[in-house]
Amino acid sequence: MACCCAQEVVFDVNLIENSALEDGLAGWAPVGSCTALSVHEEEPAKVPTETINDVAEDYRPSGRYILASRRADEADGLRQAIKGALRPRLTYRVSGWISVGAAAADTECAGGGHAVHVNLRLDDECVVKGGAVWAEPGKWTEIKGAFRLKKSPCAAEVCVQGAPAGVDVKVMDLQVFATDRKARFRKLRRKTDKVRKRDVVLNFGAAASGISGASVRVMQMDSSFPFGACINPGVIQNPSFVDFFTKHFDWAVFENELKWYHTEAQQGQLNYADSDALLDFCDRYGKPVRGHCIFWAVENTVQQWVKNLDNDQLTSAVQSRLQSLLTRYAGRFPHYDVNNEMLHGSYYRTRLGDDIDAFMFRETARLDPGATLFVNDYNVEGGNDPNATPEKYIEQIAALQQKGAPVGGIGLQGHVTNPVGEVICDALDKLSAATDLPVWLTELDVCESDVDLRAEDLEVVLREAYAHPAVEGVVFWGFMQGHMWRQDACLVNSDGTVNDAGERFVDLRREWTSHARGHIDSAGHFKFRGYHGTYVVQLATATGKVHKTFSVEKGDTPLVLDMNL
């Protein structure tokens, strides 16, 4: 039962005592009977100097760390009781630095590192995941975890565990603190104004003498930043779904209908009827479609007849799949996810060698040169999956490019729970800085049973995406109850009513749309600041109303447009 009294929340205050180890091991204890703890200090040159944004403006790593040694089991590690009450419904950040010692001779060290986990143990029984990191010997890696509780525990302790027996674990400056989403949103609004808006001057020029003081109305018709949604043959028969989709989304993606296991469930029996019908639907409403996906790297998604082929036959089948799909739909899909989830699967690479992934990209570009080709994967933006860090994604992209793969975009699926804006932003910063490629959130769903919290979580993700200059679009992985992969993520209830999360999405789209009213000044100008997109200007004169369309593109200087009436 919940037995902690409510108290005022103090944001950004570390709940871990003696985090920087000024008092040695005071407050810290081992997890597991065979673990020994000791305090050490790192050489300044080896201590990280940059941390994830917004941990604390004056924070610098202390250089002091706890070494957990003589570990006999993966569960062995270190722990500390959290002082003060953890509040339900609040999002807490977990941050700090993790490293590991060199592996014992008989311990396999895959990829040069090990997964280390930070967990919360509540009331001596319930364990809540607080984050995970891929830690390597001789290198400090920042933990970027988060958690949220449904009720206040009577007691809570934070535990750091993981890595195989015999591998030492090092922990520096572990912190747990409540996040201040409202403060973050204020920063993002300022960032959004800079990234997504531009000053505009409408110049009416020679006509100024006759229309000075005339009434002007500017209305944004569409945005340069698209939002899309997942569709399938069933949902496009639902009038409530179609109504919300056509009003609030600009792009589409097919849920399963373009995947190889759907278009060729049995070898040689091609079925494009569903994808053709969905394309026809999108054409009627003028919605571009992402091509998802040509191949899928995860073994349990590969149809059995493909698995039954020998390697020569598989090579031929891969080429036939590319030829069939891409010649049929050449020019129809602006984007393709070429080989889905290569951070989490390697079926084709395991069977056909290291070059096959790049070959898929090269062949796709040859057969449909107008399409932008994406890598696409999950958990990269969450800081909770050691197999899917931004650094590993960057390495994968670089390896593909070195083999001639024309990677044109980065897909972050965005199947998120309890998101933290700073963690999302950190991943976006790293990906954009290292690759200079556009990023799309390709399969967004925000899972939370409490619809009020779901709305807040959704706002976290959307504001981070919209404020970041590398992000060029967001596609939801469904939005209607009963028609989604994750059931606690809907924006629209099964009866067609829009819930709080859906209203939050609609409100944000409205916030990110510009309209302006006023009068032409004596110089013949009308000035406003607007979001990037297409506009219509309406000018009221003595002889009637005049309409003219124009576009506002990205730019750091004011956009001056001559309105030749």
Side-chain angles (χ1 to χ4, degrees):
M1 62 179 180
C3 58
C4 295
C5 299
Q7 62 186 43
E8 182 180 357
V9 178
V10 181
F11 296 106
D12 300 326
V13 172
N14 187 15
L15 301 179
I16 301 294
E17 295 188 339
N18 193 26
S19 176
L21 307 178
E22 296 96 335
D23 296 327
L25 287 171
W28 295 96
V31 174
S33 58
C34 298
T35 301
L37 302 184
S38 55
V39 176
H40 302 263
E41 189 157 356
E42 188 66 275
E43 298 176 17
K46 295 182 179 180
V47 177
T49 57
E50 295 183 3
T51 72
I52 190 171
N53 49 77
D54 288 359
V55 170
E57 292 183 0
D58 59 349
Y59 168 71
R60 294 292 180 273
S62 69
R64 292 181 292 273
Y65 65 91
I66 299 176
L67 175 69
S69 57
R70 299 210 305 268
R71 298 178 58 256
D73 188 87
E74 285 192 3
D76 290 351
L78 55 95
R79 62 186 172 88
Q80 183 185 138
I82 292 179
K83 305 298 183 182
L86 292 172
R87 294 278 300 278
R89 298 173 60 84
L90 276 179
T91 298
Y92 287 87
R93 281 276 306 279
V94 177
S95 69
W97 298 91
I98 307 292
S99 185
V100 293
D106 59 347
T107 302
E108 182 181 356
C109 189
H114 301 287
V116 177
H117 301 265
V118 177
N119 297 317
L120 275 293
R121 186 174 296 278
L122 310 177
D123 300 331
D124 295 326
E125 51 185 30
C126 178
V127 175
V128 175
K129 294 180 180 179
V133 68
W134 186 259
E136 301 177 27
K139 178 181 177 181
W140 289 100
T141 303
E142 191 172 9
I143 188 79
K144 293 170 266 187
F147 65 91
R148 185 163 60 210
L149 306 180
K150 294 186 179 298
K151 63 179 183 178
S152 294
C154 294
E157 63 179 13
V158 62
C159 303
V160 182
Q161 300 164 293
V167 177
D168 294 346
V169 174
K170 305 175 182 180
V171 181
M172 183 191 301
D173 298 356
L174 189 65
Q175 301 185 53
V176 173
F177 53 90
T179 60
D180 188 345
R181 287 180 165 181
K182 290 184 179 179
R184 179 68 181 173
F185 289 167
R186 287 193 294 270
K187 292 184 178 181
L188 291 174
R189 288 187 180 96
R190 294 191 294 270
K191 185 178 177 182
T192 294
D193 184 85
K194 180 179 180 180
V195 170
R196 300 291 173 192
K197 299 180 82 173
R198 188 175 183 182
D199 289 324
V200 182
V201 179
L202 302 183
N203 178 24
F204 292 89
S209 60
I211 60 174
S212 178
S215 175
V216 176
R217 182 183 182 189
V218 174
M219 296 165 288
Q220 187 171 359
M221 306 305 292
D222 59 48
S223 172
S224 296
F225 188 101
F227 289 88
C230 171
I231 63 173
N232 61 49
V235 295
I236 65 171
Q237 305 301 319
N238 185 315
S240 296
F241 182 99
V242 173
D243 180 66
F244 193 86
F245 172 77
T246 54
K247 287 180 179 177
H248 300 291
F249 293 104
D250 314 297
W251 280 55
V253 65
F254 304 163
E255 187 171 12
N256 297 307
E257 289 69 27
L258 206 65
K259 294 170 182 172
W260 195 7
Y261 65 67
H262 187 98
T263 63
E264 195 175 4
Q266 301 298 324
Q267 186 174 13
Q269 299 179 20
L270 298 176
N271 173 23
Y272 291 111
D274 288 333
S275 52
D276 286 348
L278 291 174
L279 267 179
D280 289 343
F281 169 82
C282 292
D283 286 346
R284 288 199 302 274
Y285 291 102
K287 309 293 184 185
V289 186
R290 299 193 75 253
H292 176 78
C293 52
I294 303 175
F295 298 100
W296 199 341
V298 178
E299 182 172 358
N300 64 14
T301 69
V302 178
Q303 59 271 54
Q304 188 60 47
W305 72 261
V306 173
K307 294 179 180 179
N308 293 341
L309 302 175
D310 64 32
N311 286 355
D312 289 340
Q313 292 170 330
L314 179 57
T315 300
S316 178
V318 166
Q319 184 64 66
S320 295
R321 162 67 171 172
L322 290 163
Q323 186 73 26
S324 172
L325 180 71
L326 296 167
T327 56
R328 181 183 184 90
Y329 292 121
R332 300 301 304 276
F333 295 100
H335 295 176
Y336 273 112
D337 297 328
V338 177
N339 191 12
N340 199 40
E341 298 177 0
M342 290 183 288
L343 289 173
H344 292 91
S346 59
Y347 179 78
Y348 297 98
R349 187 167 63 253
T350 300
R351 291 284 309 273
L352 301 178
D354 290 343
D355 187 57
I356 188 62
D357 296 332
F359 170 81
M360 292 171 175
F361 276 82
R362 296 194 302 265
E363 278 295 282
T364 301
R366 183 181 70 84
L367 293 166
D368 193 353
T372 301
L373 309 187
F374 279 71
V375 291
N376 192 53
D377 227 305
Y378 62 92
N379 287 351
V380 178
E381 75 293 324
N384 59 359
D385 185 348
N387 295 313
T389 64
E391 291 79 7
K392 289 191 175 185
Y393 216 8
I394 290 164
E395 291 175 6
Q396 181 185 94
I397 293 166
L400 288 167
Q401 291 173 328
Q402 288 171 3
K403 296 174 183 176
V407 181
I410 299 173
L412 300 180
Q413 292 184 8
H415 300 297
V416 300
T417 302
N418 189 25
V420 172
E422 293 87 345
V423 175
I424 295 171
C425 183
D426 182 65
L428 292 171
D429 285 346
K430 289 177 178 176
L431 292 169
S432 60
T435 69
D436 198 30
L437 291 173
V439 177
W440 281 60
L441 270 63
T442 55
E443 303 181 19
L444 177 63
D445 53 17
V446 178
C447 191
E448 168 57 58
S449 58
D450 184 319
V451 72
D452 294 331
L453 285 177
R454 188 187 313 162
E456 293 181 14
D457 289 349
L458 180 63
E459 184 172 0
V460 168
V461 180
L462 293 183
R463 285 199 182 277
E464 294 294 340
Y466 194 70
H468 202 284
V471 181
E472 294 190 355
V474 172
V475 179
F476 284 74
W477 201 243
F479 59 83
M480 193 169 194
Q481 186 180 28
H483 300 281
M484 296 188 68
W485 176 52
R486 299 208 298 175
Q487 297 307 306
D488 288 333
C490 69
L491 311 183
V492 177
N493 299 323
S494 58
D495 62 1
T497 57
V498 181
N499 62 32
D500 288 347
E503 292 289 356
R504 188 71 55 93
F505 168 62
V506 173
D507 288 345
L508 286 171
R509 291 221 67 177
R510 187 180 299 113
E511 177 184 327
W512 296 329
T513 302
S514 300
H515 301 301
R517 290 177 179 268
H519 297 86
I520 297 175
D521 63 24
S522 59
H525 297 159
F526 179 76
K527 301 177 182 179
F528 73 101
R529 183 168 178 81
Y531 290 100
H532 306 144
T534 303
Y535 289 78
V536 61
V537 57
Q538 176 183 289
L539 175 66
T541 68
T543 58
K545 293 182 179 180
V546 178
H547 295 82
K548 190 174 181 65
T549 60
F550 62 93
S551 294
V552 177
E553 307 294 343
K554 294 180 181 179
D556 296 327
T557 60
L559 176 65
V560 180
L561 298 170
D562 291 329
M563 297 285 103
N564 298 315
L565 302 179

